[in-house]
Structure formats: structure tokens, C-alpha cells
Amino acid sequence: MTERERFRWVRGRTALATFALVTAVAAGGVWWSQGADRASAVDVAPKTSAVQDVKSPGKPSGSLPGVRDCGRGEPEIKPQVITLTCVDVGMVATAITWERYGSREAEGTGVVQVERASGAVADAGFPATFRLFAPETVPGGRAFTGLEVTYEGSTPLGDTTEMYNLA
């Protein structure tokens, strides 16, 4: 290898290493700059008590299991609102319409409300299908313990289907 070829080879490696370093720093900067948006989502998230008035007044019956919000309280039959992330209340299933509500499974459609979703200026809503399953006896009656959310288009977390434990 001549001196000239060696110089080109070293220069090419240096350019490649510089490109990789700049790309990593830029990606880290974007992630770091969005930290405030991720942190503020908790502050502006809809509080469950604020949306309680839109829930149906259904009480558990002997044959149909209900849903306990964040695993607390008495199970409610055919709720219109279900809190998905109980820690920060950043994701809430709202406007749920139940097409089928049985003793073993329930299916409905609605919207998952996400506060400040991935850099968005305003709150975001994602149309979804909801499936309740795995009814069990819990304090207060029978309640579904599992929830499957299937998004009909774009998704807040990147997955088309998400599973939640409602126990």
C-alpha cells in the first residue's frame, strides 16, 4: 500500500467515525430535549375523578363482571372510561361503546387519550378496539382482570396491540 492509499484509508475511517459520533450526539440531544415533554405529560394527564361523571351508573349484577378502575372500588358494568396507566394517568380509554358485553368477554370501541404524546403540542386521541377478558371474583363482586387494546391506525407507544392488567 502506498503512502497516498494509506492516507485515503485513514481519512475515510476518520470521516466515518466522525459521522457516527455526530449522529449519536444528535440523537441523544433530541431524546434529552423531549424529556420536558415526557415529564409534563403527568401534570396535564386527565385525572380519573375528572371523568367519572361520564361513566355509566351500571352496578355489578350476578352474571356480568364489571371493571374496577385501577383495581380499586366496586366493579362497574360497561364503563365508558377505563384508566390504562394508573401510575401517572397519562393514558385513558374514553368514549367506549360496548358492542358485546358477556360473562366471559366484552368487546367495544373508543378512543385512547394520551397527554402530550411524543412531542405533540396538544393532547392526542387514538381510535382503538377494547377486549375485556379473564373475569375473576374480586372484592366487591366479579370483575374482568385483563384488557387488550388494539389500535385502528397510529399508536401512542408504537405497538398495534397492548395488554393491561386490571386487577
Side-chain angles (χ1 to χ4, degrees):
M1 183 182 299
T2 68
E3 191 65 32
R4 186 175 184 169
E5 290 172 334
R6 182 174 298 167
F7 179 71
R8 282 187 194 158
W9 184 76
V10 169
R11 195 171 68 187
R13 283 185 51 179
T14 303
L16 182 60
T18 303
F19 174 76
L21 179 66
V22 168
T23 302
V25 169
V30 168
W31 181 82
W32 186 264
S33 70
Q34 292 177 350
D37 288 340
R38 288 191 301 274
S40 66
V42 173
D43 297 334
V44 297
K47 305 304 180 230
T48 305
S49 61
V51 293
Q52 289 291 335
D53 58 345
V54 297
K55 287 189 169 189
S56 66
K59 295 291 180 196
S61 68
S63 62
L64 293 178
V67 175
R68 292 176 16 159
D69 199 28
C70 293
R72 292 184 293 254
E74 289 202 22
E76 182 180 345
I77 304 295
K78 297 183 181 182
Q80 293 178 340
V81 175
I82 300 173
T83 305
L84 302 178
T85 54
C86 295
V87 174
D88 63 5
V89 194
M91 293 176 60
V92 179
T94 62
I96 302 173
T97 304
W98 299 102
E99 283 85 35
R100 189 172 60 87
Y101 201 97
S103 61
R104 294 178 183 235
E105 194 173 80
E107 290 184 10
T109 58
V111 176
V112 174
Q113 296 292 329
V114 179
E115 302 302 321
R116 305 267 175 156
S118 60
V121 176
D123 302 343
F126 300 89
T129 302
F130 305 100
R131 182 177 72 90
L132 294 168
F133 60 94
E136 293 182 10
T137 301
V138 297
R142 287 186 47 80
F144 288 110
T145 60
L147 172 65
E148 177 182 71
V149 179
T150 304
Y151 295 96
E152 298 175 5
S154 62
T155 67
L157 302 176
D159 297 326
T160 56
T161 301
E162 297 170 356
M163 304 296 279
Y164 294 93
N165 183 359
L166 301 177

